[in-house]
Structure formats: C-alpha cells, structure tokens
Amino acid sequence: MTTTTRKSTEPPAAAVAKDAHWSAKMARLRARKLPESTLSICDDESVKVSVTNAALELAKARAAAMAECAEQGIGEDQRDAWVASNPQVVAADHTLCRAQDAQAEETLTLTFRALPRPVWEQLLRDHAPTEAQADRGMEYNVDTFPAAVISACHVERDDAGAEVDGMTVADAQELLDAWPDAEAKALFTAALVVNQTLRADLGKG
C-alpha cells in the first residue's frame, strides 16, 4: 500500500516574513508626502533691520557672558547654562524674539508643493516650447509655463490649517508681470525648484 503525503499549501515562513517586510516598507513609501518649499516676502525694511541688529546684540551679549565665565572660573560643563541665564543675554534674546515676531507679522509666505510625476509631465506637454524656443534648448514655453506651474504648485491654507483655493494662473501671471525681474524670477524658481529637489540619497550603500 502506497501512502501519499499531502503537500502543505501554506507558504514558507521565510516567504511570509519577507512579504510582510516589503508590505510595511511599501506602505511607508506610499505615505511619503510631496516636498514643499516656501517663499517669504517682507517689504518692511525697518523690521528686517531690527531683526539683524537684535541678532548682533544677542551675539555680543553671549560673547561678553562667555568671557565673564572664563574670568570667574566657571567650568566648561556649566558655561552654556550660565550664559543662557545671564541677564544681558536674557534681555537681548527677548528683544530678538520681539523683533522676529514683528517681522513675521509683516511677512507674506507662499507655499509650493511638488507635483506628482504624471501631473508634472502633463504640464510640460500642455506648455511645450515653440519651435523657436525648442531650437534654443528650452524645455517649456517660457511665456506660459511659469504662471501655470506657479498656480499648479501653490498651496494655500486657512488659519485652521485646512487647504483652500489658492493662486490662479491669472493671479500668477499678474504677479510675474507686476513684480521686478528678480522677484518674478524668485517666484517662478520657488515653484520650479520644489519639483527638482532630490530628497533621496543616491549611493553605493
């Protein structure tokens, strides 16, 4: 009489562990957020000067406090705490914080988020260079692409942090036309660079 051994239909334990490992890694890869960058705009020169001056005064106060540490024989392991609690340092730090708060109130911040690759490629196709532009090595229509990519990448959030409607193509074009050349280029660059920033480390590992 011949006995037939039924083969197990269960996958090997090693295969199960390998699959679970990859599934967990893939879940983390899927959960990655698209990179964002910001462009800060402050037209009030006085508040920017105040921040610069306050930062210099804080640096001077810390240097003076550190010198006083050496004179009084404060041990190196205690110097950071001693300097931080120095009255002149505390006052200078408070002044800098107030100056930074004042600058923040006068600063407009634009946030840009990278586009998923298919969306980016479609945007390039929608704004392909003219024949003359292509002959000069341009990858997109320089007349229409800047406003389009600025609008597509702009992210606007309300006070609660929820995303709301942001800059339209017409809005972007208006700013590009109205701002000085350097500032218009900075606006376009902010939207462009966020799509070209590499967050992965490439190497031999």
Side-chain angles (χ1 to χ4, degrees), residues 136-149:
R136 295 199 298 271
M138 299 177 181
E139 299 181 2
Y140 46 77
N141 188 314
V142 296
D143 297 318
T144 64
F145 181 73
V149 73

Side-chain angles (χ1 to χ4, degrees), residues 67-139:
E68 190 174 346
C69 278
E71 293 175 359
Q72 296 191 16
I74 305 296
E76 291 188 7
D77 59 334
Q78 299 178 336
R79 288 184 180 181
D80 288 343
W82 196 91
V83 168
S85 63
N86 181 277
Q88 284 72 33
V89 173
V90 172
D93 186 58
H94 182 62
T95 299
L96 176 59
C97 288
R98 286 189 301 173
Q100 290 172 331
D101 289 342
Q103 182 178 14
E105 291 181 2
E106 297 298 325
T107 299
L108 295 174
T109 301
L110 296 175
T111 301
F112 299 94
R113 180 189 296 146
L115 301 172
R117 182 183 57 80
V119 178
W120 170 261
E121 292 181 347
Q122 184 60 53
L123 195 66
L124 288 173
R125 287 193 292 269
D126 292 342
H127 299 275
T130 64
E131 185 175 345
Q133 291 170 347
D135 289 341
R136 295 199 298 271
M138 299 177 181
E139 299 181 2

